[in-house]
Amino acid sequence: MTSEDLGKLDYQVMAIAFGIHDDFGCHWDESIYQVEMHNRILDTFSSSEREVPLTVSFGTFSKTYRLDLVVDEIGIYELKTVAAIEKAHIGQVLNYLRLLNATRAKIINFRTNKVESRFVNCSDTLSQRRSFDIATENYRGPKELSEVAIRMLQDLGTKLSNELYTECLVSNIGRSARRRVWADRNVYQRFNFVAENEAFVVTALDTGQANYRTHLKRMRQTARLTHLHWINVTPDVVRFESAE
């Protein structure tokens, strides 16, 4: 489908969204808008699918996301009932587009006085996201962690969510557990462990690494960990470090 065709499809979909907002108002749960969008879209288009599964797998890990609406097999829509469309919502949709190797989707927010919408465009390809340099000069952690993380990124690519990478690594080689922060206080923090007293974190920081490193060392000391390993995933470089 061409950009012109997609534009025509979206024009009709948005007319349906405006009509629902006019009829129902802005205070309903997201599921109400989703069902009504689906039903009205079927009056105009040949197909509309709700809660379309999108499964990502690596090793022992498998997770299924749900696409709110897919219209005529190519129009991807994420529906929201929030105060405003924010960066996190755009990141969520970018995550979906990258997993689909697709280029465009749209967020529709029904909660505002007038329907708010925003296109989300993705120009990078999976082959591009699989190409990155690796830096391990300051890493002192288990070889298995770095090797599995590299294989994961070579398979799934960079620029996905940190939460997804973390869940994938925990499933394959680690465990998530609460740890008592102070011996004399009943206060706990959850860590992702790869060995006894060794935990890891995943970030995607382009800037502010020095400040993050300082606070990571403080966390390691306070939690009485021997190592807190840091995997920073950027489009060009995947860096492994160990806070000691």
Side-chain angles (χ1 to χ4, degrees), residues 25-141:
C26 67
H27 298 303
W28 296 91
D29 291 341
E30 181 183 310
S31 60
I32 303 299
Y33 296 108
Q34 185 188 98
V35 169
E36 188 64 13
M37 283 285 290
H38 170 70
N39 290 336
R40 295 195 189 189
I41 284 170
L42 285 175
D43 292 336
T44 303
F45 295 94
S46 59
S47 71
S48 173
E49 296 179 86
R50 295 174 51 227
E51 298 290 319
V52 179
L54 169 58
T55 300
V56 54
S57 302
F58 175 81
T60 60
F61 172 76
S62 181
K63 179 172 185 173
T64 299
Y65 297 98
R66 298 284 172 178
L67 305 178
D68 284 346
L69 283 174
V70 177
V71 182
D72 271 5
E73 298 184 352
I74 53 89
I76 302 168
Y77 290 87
E78 179 68 20
L79 307 185
K80 296 294 181 187
T81 50
V82 294
I85 295 173
E86 298 180 353
K87 186 177 179 181
H89 304 134
I90 296 170
Q92 174 192 1
V93 174
L94 278 172
N95 202 56
Y96 295 164
L97 289 174
R98 286 167 178 145
L99 289 171
L100 289 164
N101 210 20
T103 59
R104 184 175 244 202
K106 196 171 197 179
I107 304 172
I108 303 176
N109 181 25
F110 287 93
R111 181 66 77 226
T112 46
N113 290 331
K114 294 183 178 180
V115 173
E116 179 189 20
S117 65
R118 186 174 303 181
F119 274 115
V120 180
N121 299 306
C122 180
S123 59
D124 47 68
T125 64
L126 179 57
S127 61
Q128 290 171 331
R129 295 189 296 104
R130 283 174 169 170
S131 178
F132 52 85
D133 294 327
I134 301 165
T136 59
E137 60 270 17
N138 295 316
Y139 179 64
R140 304 291 181 270

Side-chain angles (χ1 to χ4, degrees), residues 132-136 139 145 149-150 152-153 158-160 162 165-166 169 200-210 212-213 216 228-242:
F132 52 85
D133 294 327
I134 301 165
T136 59
Y139 179 64
L145 174 60
I150 290 168
M152 172 188 71
L153 293 165
T158 61
K159 301 179 80 171
L160 298 177
N162 297 329
Y165 294 140
T166 300
L169 290 171
F200 74 92
V201 295
V202 180
T203 62
L205 299 177
D206 289 315
T207 61
Q209 292 95 332
Y212 189 88
R213 185 180 296 111
L216 204 64
L228 186 48
H229 307 298
W230 175 22
I231 306 170
N232 192 47
V233 182
T234 61
D236 298 321
V237 181
V238 176
R239 186 173 301 278
F240 295 83
E241 293 189 27
S242 298

